[in-house]
Amino acid sequence: MKIAVIGTGYVGLVAGTCFADSGNDVTCVDIDERKIKALQSGVVPIYEPGLEELVKKNTRENRLSFTSNLTAAVGAAQVVFIAVGTPEGESGDADLRYVLEAAQQIGRALKQYTVVVDKSTVPVGTSDRVREAVAAVTKVEFDVVSNPEFLKEGAALDDFLKPDRVVIGTTSERARKVMAELYAPFVRTENPILFMDARSAELTKYAANAMLATRISFMNDMAALCEKVGADADAVRKGMGADRRIGYPFLFPGVGYGGSCFPKDVKALVATAREFGLELDLLRAVERTNERQKKLLLAKAVKHFGELAGKTFAVWGLAFKPKTDDMREAPSVELIEGLLGKGASVHCHDPVAEPVARRHFGDRIRYSAAPYDALQGAHALFLVTEWNEFRHPDFDRMKSLMVQPVVFDGRNVFDPKLMRERGFTYFGVGRAA
Ligand code: NAD
């Protein structure tokens, strides 16, 4: 099939590449000329394991190309995906500016019957608005389908190639057939394609993200209580997760959820409900817990040190989670801004996110290519992102580099008892001090 993907970010690039890899002829479009030039010369502008190799392979085999010419790409396509950003709007709602602009541009470029697929995360009713925007500028036949994306950054290829489920919202039989054919190679493990109406598909995406955010905040509330009553959140987590009705995923206490999806999607869902006269109290509490959690490590440091001015702190991990360079809404940003605001110096290390961090912090903080270098002269280490390479460090070497052997472990990566035996002052999340 001939496919155009509008928006070549984390979602568009992964989706386009995977559709090309299953034999389709894919053109990825972006308004960002620099991004397109980089991709045309084989440089992938984001860090995602395995993506660069797959992009190169499919480009070489002429199934994948990149352009900023939307008109040509859409005119030739049978299926057009909208995968542009839907950032947080002024009142917490999703800003649909990019989606509706793309819809108009698509409408003007249509040449034959086309399935226009919304892959961006959009509020209930957006497929109607996309249909109206396209119909206003074309007489060509088309269908609009809602096909939300559930991939996780850091495991995006695997998630896309072997999805738990594919959700497709449409009432058009013609569009349904096209979508079923397109996704057939990815559901050979018998995982389902769930066909439903567009509104249900749109809401499914928000409901799924809100549920995951709720589990995180729930566990963070339990961790806060553990600290008060002298219980161990990790033991409680294991005890809860062993119940098959509950399960283990997304029950890790930590420094709060971040990234480009959970924070904005929870807010947008609350805003949608409010528009319809419904107050989602549970999700507002989820947000409040998360805001408190993002301040937790700084609060622990203030409690331990009192004055932070003039001290140096090492930060391991900047990305909002491991295996990505995405720092959107990352807990590290709030921590580092807090440390700088209190007059401390920050020396950080992340295996891949340094270039992204430099764009945000510039030379307000120092960067190290190796984790141990960041510890030189540090009064404490904050472990913020649980990259695997941080799990088994040389603790003696760490101690020899630091001014004081103090560790604030925002992901409960280290064993508190062993840390104390090794001579560290150790603070975890939801663990007895
Ligand atoms: P992104 O910011 O990485 O990429 C969006 C791209 O769209 C940018 O490169 C931008 O230049 C481009 N763009 C904007 N308007 C355009 C236009 N008119 N024509 C061509 N290109 C245009 O965003 P993302 O992280 O890929 O997210 C895209 C959507 O997918 C969002 O709605 C997001 O909520 C959703 N989503 C994201 C993830 C994730 O993990 N990142 C997962 C699932 C769903």
Side-chain angles (χ1 to χ4, degrees):
M1 259 186 247
K2 276 187 170 292
I3 298 172
V5 180
I6 315 304
T8 310
Y10 286 86
V11 167
L13 183 56
V14 169
T17 305
C18 291
F19 283 131
D21 203 54
S22 59
N24 298 291
D25 178 356
V26 180
T27 307
C28 287
V29 181
D30 207 286
I31 41 173
D32 185 339
E33 302 263 1
R34 270 196 316 183
K35 201 177 258 190
I36 291 300
K37 282 218 170 73
L39 284 160
Q40 282 169 340
S41 59
V43 176
V44 171
I46 53 169
Y47 175 81
E48 182 61 47
L51 184 58
E52 189 153 305
E53 293 83 336
L54 210 59
V55 167
K56 281 190 173 137
K57 172 181 168 236
N58 283 282
T59 311
R60 201 171 49 238
E61 292 168 9
N62 291 324
R63 287 188 298 267
L64 181 63
S65 62
F66 302 95
T67 181
S68 46
N69 185 344
L70 181 144
T71 307
V74 170
Q78 297 153 276
V79 186
V80 178
F81 282 88
I82 301 176
V84 301
T86 47
E88 188 181 324
E90 267 169 27
S91 49
D93 54 342
D95 183 348
L96 290 180
R97 189 179 346 164
Y98 305 105
V99 170
L100 296 175
E101 261 171 30
Q104 263 202 1
Q105 290 168 324
I106 291 166
R108 288 199 202 94
L110 290 185
K111 287 235 167 76
Q112 67 275 315
Y113 170 76
T114 307
V115 181
V116 178
V117 187
D118 185 14
K119 203 163 231 335
S120 299
T121 302
V122 290
V124 175
T126 303
S127 61
D128 294 332
R129 295 182 65 184
V130 167
R131 186 176 301 107
E132 284 160 21
V134 176
V137 290
T138 188
K139 294 236 165 345
V140 176
E141 254 194 300
F142 70 94
D143 275 309
V144 175
V145 171
S146 168
N147 170 220
E149 182 49 56
F150 297 95
L151 64 77
K152 302 182 289 294
E153 287 173 21
L157 290 182
D158 227 33
D159 286 346
F160 199 93
L161 296 168
K162 288 178 248 161
D164 288 343
R165 77 317 205 174
V166 174
V167 169
I168 293 174
T170 181
T171 45
S172 153
E173 195 47 41
R174 196 173 177 189
R176 178 191 164 114
K177 279 200 184 114
V178 172
M179 296 304 287
E181 192 186 330
L182 195 56
Y183 273 106
F186 308 121
V187 289
R188 297 181 64 187
T189 46
E190 303 307 322
N191 286 353
I193 299 185
L194 302 172
F195 291 99
M196 56 183 80
D197 65 279
R199 286 180 172 245
S200 303
E202 288 163 342
L203 190 52
T204 299
K205 172 67 191 175
Y206 282 104
N209 274 359
M211 179 72 207
L212 295 172
T214 301
R215 284 176 70 100
I216 294 172
S217 277
F218 178 85
M219 199 61 225
N220 282 333
D221 268 354
M222 290 305 109
L225 185 58
C226 283
E227 287 186 16
K228 297 271 183 212
V229 300
D232 177 358
D234 210 43
V236 173
R237 174 184 73 77
K238 287 180 186 151
M240 285 171 62
D243 185 328
R244 265 176 292 172
R245 293 169 304 174
I246 296 171
Y248 292 105
F250 283 79
L251 278 189
F252 290 91
V255 286
Y257 58 77
S260 67
C261 292
F262 288 4
K264 85 168 168 58
D265 290 352
V266 172
K267 277 199 182 65
L269 187 52
V270 169
T272 297
R274 196 169 288 152
E275 216 180 286
F276 287 86
L278 183 67
E279 216 39 71
L280 295 182
D281 295 330
L282 175 63
L283 291 183
R284 292 180 59 204
V286 165
E287 290 188 292
R288 277 200 303 278
T289 294
N290 199 55
E291 280 155 25
R292 181 198 68 206
Q293 212 65 16
K294 280 181 151 186
K295 297 181 172 62
L296 183 73
L297 292 188
L298 185 65
K300 282 180 188 273
V302 169
K303 192 168 171 211
H304 178 71
F305 287 106
E307 189 61 55
L308 302 187
K311 294 195 167 57
T312 298
F313 294 102
V315 174
W316 279 4
L318 297 165
F320 85 94
K321 66 174 179 180
K323 296 188 188 168
T324 181
D325 60 353
D326 198 342
M327 284 184 63
R328 290 178 280 188
E329 304 272 337
S332 68
V333 175
E334 186 151 342
L335 170 68
I336 293 171
E337 292 292 1
L339 291 168
L340 295 176
K342 291 196 177 297
S345 304
V346 176
H347 199 161
C348 66
H349 165 76
D350 187 284
V352 300
E354 186 185 320
V356 181
R358 279 186 187 277
R359 289 204 287 277
H360 182 91
F361 291 110
D363 55 10
R364 292 191 293 143
I365 60 176
R366 282 198 295 153
Y367 308 87
S368 282
Y372 294 105
D373 294 347
L375 295 174
Q376 187 75 51
H379 291 81
L381 163 68
F382 292 95
L383 195 155
V384 185
T385 315
E386 68 280 31
W387 283 92
N388 265 342
E389 42 266 73
F390 301 154
R391 288 183 187 275
H392 298 288
D394 178 339
F395 291 102
D396 289 333
R397 187 169 169 202
M398 285 171 69
K399 268 200 307 191
S400 73
L401 293 165
M402 297 172 77
V403 175
Q404 292 177 23
V406 181
V407 172
F408 296 95
D409 180 357
R411 302 291 181 175
N412 289 352
V413 163
F414 302 133
D415 183 316
K417 193 163 161 275
L418 286 180
M419 289 302 279
R420 279 175 206 124
E421 282 167 16
R422 288 173 183 130
F424 284 87
T425 304
Y426 174 86
F427 300 93
V429 182
R431 298 168 142 182

Coordinates of all heavy atoms in Angstrom, one line a residue, residues 168-232:
I168 N -9.0 0.4 16.4 CA -9.4 1.1 15.2 C -10.9 1.6 15.3 O -11.8 0.8 15.5 CB -9.2 0.2 14.0 CG1 -7.7 -0.1 13.8 CG2 -9.8 0.8 12.7 CD1 -7.4 -1.0 12.7
G169 N -11.0 2.9 15.2 CA -12.4 3.5 15.4 C -12.9 3.9 14.0 O -12.4 4.9 13.5
T170 N -13.9 3.2 13.5 CA -14.5 3.6 12.3 C -15.8 2.9 12.1 O -16.0 1.8 12.6 CB -13.6 3.3 11.0 OG1 -14.3 3.7 9.9 CG2 -13.3 1.8 10.9
T171 N -16.7 3.5 11.4 CA -18.0 2.8 11.1 C -18.0 2.5 9.6 O -19.0 1.9 9.1 CB -19.2 3.7 11.4 OG1 -19.0 5.0 11.0 CG2 -19.5 3.7 12.9
S172 N -17.0 2.9 8.8 CA -16.9 2.6 7.4 C -16.4 1.2 7.1 O -15.2 0.9 7.5 CB -16.1 3.7 6.7 OG -15.5 3.2 5.5
E173 N -17.1 0.4 6.4 CA -16.7 -0.9 6.0 C -15.5 -0.9 5.1 O -14.5 -1.7 5.2 CB -17.8 -1.7 5.4 CG -17.7 -3.2 5.3 CD -17.2 -3.8 6.6 OE1 -17.7 -3.4 7.7 OE2 -16.4 -4.7 6.5
R174 N -15.5 0.1 4.2 CA -14.4 0.3 3.3 C -13.0 0.6 4.0 O -12.0 -0.1 3.7 CB -14.7 1.4 2.3 CG -13.9 1.4 1.1 CD -14.5 2.5 0.1 NE -13.7 2.7 -1.1 CZ -14.0 3.7 -1.9 NH1 -14.9 4.6 -1.7 NH2 -13.2 3.8 -3.0
A175 N -13.1 1.5 4.9 CA -11.9 1.9 5.7 C -11.5 0.7 6.6 O -10.3 0.5 6.8 CB -12.2 3.1 6.5
R176 N -12.4 0.0 7.1 CA -12.1 -1.1 8.0 C -11.3 -2.2 7.3 O -10.3 -2.7 7.8 CB -13.5 -1.7 8.5 CG -13.4 -2.9 9.4 CD -14.8 -3.5 9.6 NE -14.6 -4.8 10.1 CZ -15.1 -5.2 11.3 NH1 -15.7 -4.4 12.1 NH2 -14.9 -6.4 11.7
K177 N -11.7 -2.4 6.1 CA -10.9 -3.4 5.3 C -9.5 -3.0 5.1 O -8.6 -3.8 5.2 CB -11.6 -3.7 3.9 CG -12.8 -4.6 4.0 CD -13.2 -5.1 2.6 CE -14.4 -6.0 2.7 NZ -15.5 -5.4 1.9
V178 N -9.3 -1.7 4.7 CA -8.0 -1.2 4.5 C -7.1 -1.3 5.7 O -6.0 -1.8 5.7 CB -8.1 0.3 4.0 CG1 -6.7 0.9 3.9 CG2 -8.8 0.4 2.7
M179 N -7.7 -0.9 6.9 CA -7.0 -1.0 8.1 C -6.6 -2.4 8.5 O -5.5 -2.7 9.0 CB -7.8 -0.3 9.2 CG -8.0 1.2 9.0 SD -6.5 2.2 8.7 CE -5.8 2.2 10.4
A180 N -7.6 -3.3 8.3 CA -7.3 -4.7 8.7 C -6.2 -5.3 7.9 O -5.3 -6.0 8.4 CB -8.6 -5.5 8.5
E181 N -6.1 -4.9 6.6 CA -5.1 -5.4 5.7 C -3.7 -4.9 6.2 O -2.7 -5.6 6.2 CB -5.4 -5.0 4.3 CG -4.5 -5.7 3.3 CD -4.8 -5.2 1.9 OE1 -5.9 -4.8 1.6 OE2 -3.8 -5.2 1.1
L182 N -3.7 -3.6 6.5 CA -2.5 -2.9 6.9 C -1.9 -3.4 8.2 O -0.7 -3.6 8.3 CB -2.8 -1.4 7.1 CG -1.7 -0.4 7.1 CD1 -0.8 -0.5 5.9 CD2 -2.3 1.0 7.3
Y183 N -2.7 -3.8 9.1 CA -2.2 -4.2 10.4 C -2.1 -5.8 10.5 O -1.5 -6.3 11.5 CB -3.2 -3.7 11.5 CG -2.8 -2.4 12.0 CD1 -3.5 -1.3 11.7 CD2 -1.6 -2.2 12.8 CE1 -3.1 0.0 12.1 CE2 -1.2 -0.9 13.2 CZ -2.0 0.2 12.9 OH -1.6 1.4 13.3
A184 N -2.5 -6.5 9.5 CA -2.5 -8.0 9.5 C -1.1 -8.5 9.9 O -1.0 -9.4 10.7 CB -3.0 -8.5 8.2
P185 N 0.0 -7.9 9.3 CA 1.3 -8.5 9.7 C 1.7 -8.3 11.1 O 2.6 -9.0 11.6 CB 2.3 -7.6 8.8 CG 1.5 -7.0 7.8 CD 0.1 -6.8 8.4
F186 N 1.1 -7.4 11.9 CA 1.5 -7.1 13.2 C 0.6 -7.9 14.3 O 0.9 -7.7 15.5 CB 1.4 -5.6 13.5 CG 2.1 -4.7 12.5 CD1 1.4 -3.8 11.8 CD2 3.5 -4.9 12.3 CE1 2.1 -3.0 10.9 CE2 4.1 -4.2 11.4 CZ 3.5 -3.2 10.6
V187 N -0.4 -8.5 13.8 CA -1.3 -9.2 14.8 C -1.3 -10.7 14.6 O -2.2 -11.4 14.9 CB -2.7 -8.6 14.8 CG1 -2.7 -7.2 15.4 CG2 -3.3 -8.6 13.4
R188 N -0.1 -11.2 14.1 CA -0.1 -12.7 13.8 C 0.1 -13.5 15.0 O -0.1 -14.7 15.0 CB 1.1 -12.9 12.8 CG 0.8 -12.2 11.5 CD 1.9 -12.4 10.5 NE 2.0 -13.8 10.1 CZ 2.9 -14.4 9.4 NH1 3.8 -13.6 8.9 NH2 2.9 -15.6 9.1
T189 N 0.3 -12.8 16.2 CA 0.4 -13.5 17.5 C -1.0 -13.7 18.1 O -1.1 -14.1 19.2 CB 1.2 -12.7 18.4 OG1 0.8 -11.3 18.3 CG2 2.7 -12.7 18.2
E190 N -2.0 -13.4 17.3 CA -3.4 -13.6 17.7 C -3.9 -12.5 18.6 O -4.9 -12.5 19.2 CB -3.7 -14.9 18.3 CG -3.4 -16.2 17.5 CD -4.0 -16.1 16.1 OE1 -5.2 -15.7 16.0 OE2 -3.4 -16.5 15.1
N191 N -3.0 -11.5 18.9 CA -3.4 -10.3 19.6 C -4.5 -9.6 18.8 O -4.3 -9.5 17.6 CB -2.3 -9.4 20.0 CG -1.5 -10.0 21.1 OD1 -1.8 -11.1 21.7 ND2 -0.4 -9.4 21.4
P192 N -5.5 -9.0 19.4 CA -6.6 -8.6 18.6 C -6.5 -7.2 18.0 O -5.8 -6.3 18.5 CB -7.8 -8.5 19.7 CG -7.1 -8.3 20.9 CD -5.7 -8.9 20.8
I193 N -7.2 -7.1 16.8 CA -7.5 -5.7 16.3 C -8.9 -5.5 16.8 O -9.9 -6.2 16.6 CB -7.6 -5.7 14.8 CG1 -6.2 -6.0 14.2 CG2 -8.0 -4.3 14.3 CD1 -6.1 -5.9 12.7
L194 N -9.1 -4.4 17.6 CA -10.4 -4.1 18.2 C -11.0 -3.0 17.4 O -10.6 -1.8 17.4 CB -10.2 -3.7 19.7 CG -9.5 -4.7 20.6 CD1 -9.2 -4.1 21.9 CD2 -10.4 -5.9 20.7
F195 N -12.1 -3.4 16.7 CA -12.8 -2.4 15.9 C -13.9 -1.8 16.8 O -14.6 -2.5 17.5 CB -13.4 -3.0 14.6 CG -12.4 -3.4 13.6 CD1 -12.0 -4.7 13.5 CD2 -11.9 -2.4 12.8 CE1 -11.0 -5.0 12.6 CE2 -10.9 -2.8 11.8 CZ -10.5 -4.1 11.7
M196 N -14.1 -0.5 16.7 CA -15.1 0.2 17.5 C -15.4 1.5 16.8 O -14.9 1.9 15.8 CB -14.6 0.4 19.0 CG -13.3 1.2 19.1 SD -12.7 1.3 20.8 CE -11.9 -0.3 21.1
D197 N -16.3 2.3 17.4 CA -16.6 3.6 16.9 C -15.5 4.6 17.2 O -14.7 4.3 18.2 CB -18.0 4.1 17.4 CG -17.9 4.3 18.9 OD1 -18.0 3.4 19.7 OD2 -17.7 5.5 19.3
A198 N -15.4 5.6 16.5 CA -14.2 6.6 16.6 C -14.2 7.2 18.0 O -13.1 7.3 18.6 CB -14.3 7.6 15.6
R199 N -15.3 7.5 18.6 CA -15.3 8.2 19.9 C -14.7 7.2 21.0 O -14.0 7.6 21.8 CB -16.7 8.6 20.3 CG -17.1 9.8 19.5 CD -18.5 10.4 19.9 NE -18.6 11.6 19.2 CZ -18.7 12.8 19.7 NH1 -18.8 12.9 21.0 NH2 -18.7 13.9 19.0
S200 N -15.1 6.0 20.9 CA -14.6 5.0 21.9 C -13.1 4.8 21.7 O -12.4 4.6 22.7 CB -15.4 3.7 21.7 OG -16.8 3.9 21.9
A201 N -12.7 4.8 20.4 CA -11.2 4.6 20.2 C -10.5 5.8 20.8 O -9.4 5.6 21.4 CB -11.0 4.5 18.7
E202 N -11.0 7.0 20.5 CA -10.3 8.2 21.0 C -10.2 8.1 22.6 O -9.2 8.4 23.2 CB -11.0 9.5 20.6 CG -10.8 9.7 19.1 CD -11.9 10.7 18.5 OE1 -12.9 10.9 19.1 OE2 -11.6 11.2 17.4
L203 N -11.3 7.7 23.2 CA -11.4 7.7 24.7 C -10.5 6.6 25.2 O -9.9 6.7 26.3 CB -12.8 7.6 25.2 CG -13.0 7.8 26.6 CD1 -12.4 9.1 27.1 CD2 -14.5 7.8 27.0
T204 N -10.4 5.5 24.5 CA -9.6 4.3 25.0 C -8.2 4.7 25.2 O -7.6 4.3 26.2 CB -9.6 3.2 23.9 OG1 -11.0 2.8 23.7 CG2 -8.8 2.0 24.3
K205 N -7.6 5.5 24.4 CA -6.2 6.0 24.5 C -6.1 6.8 25.8 O -5.2 6.5 26.6 CB -5.8 6.8 23.3 CG -4.5 7.5 23.4 CD -3.3 6.5 23.5 CE -2.0 7.1 23.9 NZ -0.9 6.2 24.0
Y206 N -6.9 7.7 26.0 CA -6.8 8.5 27.3 C -7.1 7.7 28.5 O -6.4 7.8 29.5 CB -7.8 9.7 27.2 CG -7.4 10.8 26.3 CD1 -7.9 11.0 25.1 CD2 -6.4 11.7 26.8 CE1 -7.5 12.1 24.3 CE2 -5.9 12.8 26.0 CZ -6.5 12.9 24.7 OH -6.1 14.0 24.0
A207 N -8.1 6.8 28.4 CA -8.4 6.0 29.6 C -7.2 5.1 29.9 O -6.9 4.9 31.1 CB -9.7 5.1 29.3
A208 N -6.6 4.5 28.9 CA -5.4 3.6 29.2 C -4.3 4.4 29.9 O -3.7 4.0 30.9 CB -4.9 3.0 27.9
N209 N -3.9 5.6 29.4 CA -2.9 6.4 30.0 C -3.2 6.8 31.4 O -2.4 6.9 32.3 CB -2.5 7.6 29.1 CG -1.5 7.2 28.0 OD1 -1.0 6.0 28.0 ND2 -1.1 8.1 27.2
A210 N -4.5 7.2 31.5 CA -5.0 7.7 32.9 C -4.9 6.6 33.9 O -4.6 6.8 35.0 CB -6.4 8.3 32.8
M211 N -5.2 5.4 33.4 CA -5.2 4.2 34.3 C -3.7 3.9 34.8 O -3.5 3.7 36.0 CB -5.7 3.0 33.6 CG -5.7 1.7 34.4 SD -7.0 1.8 35.7 CE -6.3 0.7 36.9
L212 N -2.8 4.0 33.9 CA -1.4 3.8 34.2 C -0.9 4.9 35.1 O -0.2 4.6 36.1 CB -0.5 3.7 32.9 CG -0.9 2.5 32.0 CD1 -0.2 2.6 30.7 CD2 -0.6 1.2 32.7
A213 N -1.2 6.1 34.9 CA -0.8 7.2 35.7 C -1.4 7.0 37.1 O -0.8 7.3 38.2 CB -1.3 8.5 35.1
T214 N -2.6 6.5 37.2 CA -3.3 6.3 38.5 C -2.6 5.2 39.3 O -2.4 5.4 40.5 CB -4.8 5.8 38.2 OG1 -5.4 6.9 37.5 CG2 -5.5 5.6 39.5
R215 N -2.1 4.2 38.6 CA -1.4 3.1 39.4 C -0.1 3.7 39.9 O 0.3 3.4 41.1 CB -1.1 2.0 38.4 CG -2.3 1.1 38.2 CD -1.9 0.0 37.2 NE -1.0 -1.0 37.7 CZ -1.3 -2.2 38.1 NH1 -2.6 -2.6 38.2 NH2 -0.4 -3.1 38.5
I216 N 0.6 4.6 39.2 CA 1.8 5.2 39.6 C 1.5 6.1 40.8 O 2.2 6.0 41.9 CB 2.5 6.0 38.5 CG1 3.0 5.0 37.4 CG2 3.7 6.8 39.0 CD1 3.5 5.7 36.1
S217 N 0.5 6.9 40.7 CA 0.3 7.8 41.9 C -0.2 7.1 43.1 O 0.1 7.4 44.2 CB -0.8 8.9 41.4 OG -0.1 10.0 40.8
F218 N -1.0 6.0 42.8 CA -1.5 5.2 43.9 C -0.3 4.6 44.7 O -0.2 4.7 45.9 CB -2.4 4.0 43.4 CG -2.8 3.2 44.5 CD1 -4.0 3.5 45.3 CD2 -2.1 2.0 44.9 CE1 -4.4 2.7 46.3 CE2 -2.5 1.2 46.0 CZ -3.7 1.5 46.7
M219 N 0.7 4.1 44.0 CA 1.8 3.5 44.6 C 2.7 4.5 45.3 O 3.2 4.3 46.4 CB 2.6 2.7 43.6 CG 3.6 1.7 44.2 SD 2.7 0.4 45.1 CE 3.7 0.3 46.6
N220 N 2.7 5.7 44.7 CA 3.5 6.8 45.4 C 2.8 7.3 46.6 O 3.5 7.7 47.6 CB 3.7 8.0 44.4 CG 4.8 7.6 43.4 OD1 5.7 6.8 43.7 ND2 4.8 8.2 42.2
D221 N 1.5 7.3 46.7 CA 0.8 7.6 47.9 C 1.1 6.5 49.0 O 1.3 6.8 50.1 CB -0.7 7.6 47.7 CG -1.2 9.1 47.4 OD1 -0.3 10.0 47.4 OD2 -2.4 9.3 47.0
M222 N 1.1 5.2 48.6 CA 1.4 4.2 49.5 C 2.8 4.3 50.0 O 3.1 4.1 51.2 CB 1.2 2.8 48.8 CG -0.2 2.4 48.5 SD -1.3 2.4 50.0 CE -2.2 3.9 49.6
A223 N 3.7 4.7 49.1 CA 5.1 4.9 49.5 C 5.3 6.0 50.6 O 6.0 5.9 51.5 CB 6.0 5.2 48.3
A224 N 4.5 7.1 50.3 CA 4.5 8.2 51.3 C 4.0 7.7 52.7 O 4.6 8.0 53.7 CB 3.7 9.4 50.8
L225 N 3.0 6.9 52.6 CA 2.5 6.3 53.9 C 3.5 5.4 54.5 O 3.7 5.4 55.8 CB 1.1 5.6 53.6 CG 0.4 5.1 54.9 CD1 0.1 6.2 55.9 CD2 -0.9 4.5 54.5
C226 N 4.2 4.6 53.7 CA 5.2 3.7 54.2 C 6.2 4.4 55.0 O 6.7 4.0 56.1 CB 5.9 2.9 53.1 SG 4.9 1.6 52.4
E227 N 6.7 5.6 54.5 CA 7.7 6.4 55.2 C 7.2 6.8 56.5 O 7.9 6.9 57.5 CB 8.1 7.6 54.3 CG 9.0 7.1 53.1 CD 9.6 8.3 52.3 OE1 9.6 9.4 52.8 OE2 10.0 8.0 51.2
K228 N 5.9 7.2 56.6 CA 5.3 7.7 57.9 C 5.2 6.5 58.9 O 5.5 6.8 60.1 CB 3.9 8.2 57.6 CG 3.9 9.4 56.7 CD 4.0 10.7 57.5 CE 3.9 11.9 56.6 NZ 4.7 13.0 56.9
V229 N 4.8 5.3 58.4 CA 4.5 4.3 59.4 C 5.7 3.3 59.6 O 5.6 2.3 60.3 CB 3.2 3.5 59.0 CG1 2.0 4.5 58.9 CG2 3.4 2.8 57.7
G230 N 6.8 3.5 58.8 CA 7.9 2.6 59.0 C 7.7 1.3 58.2 O 8.2 0.2 58.7
A231 N 7.0 1.3 57.1 CA 6.9 0.1 56.3 C 7.8 0.2 55.0 O 8.3 1.3 54.8 CB 5.4 -0.1 55.8
D232 N 7.9 -0.8 54.3 CA 8.8 -0.8 53.1 C 8.0 -0.9 51.8 O 7.3 -1.9 51.6 CB 9.8 -2.0 53.2 CG 10.7 -2.1 52.0 OD1 10.6 -1.2 51.1 OD2 11.6 -3.0 52.0

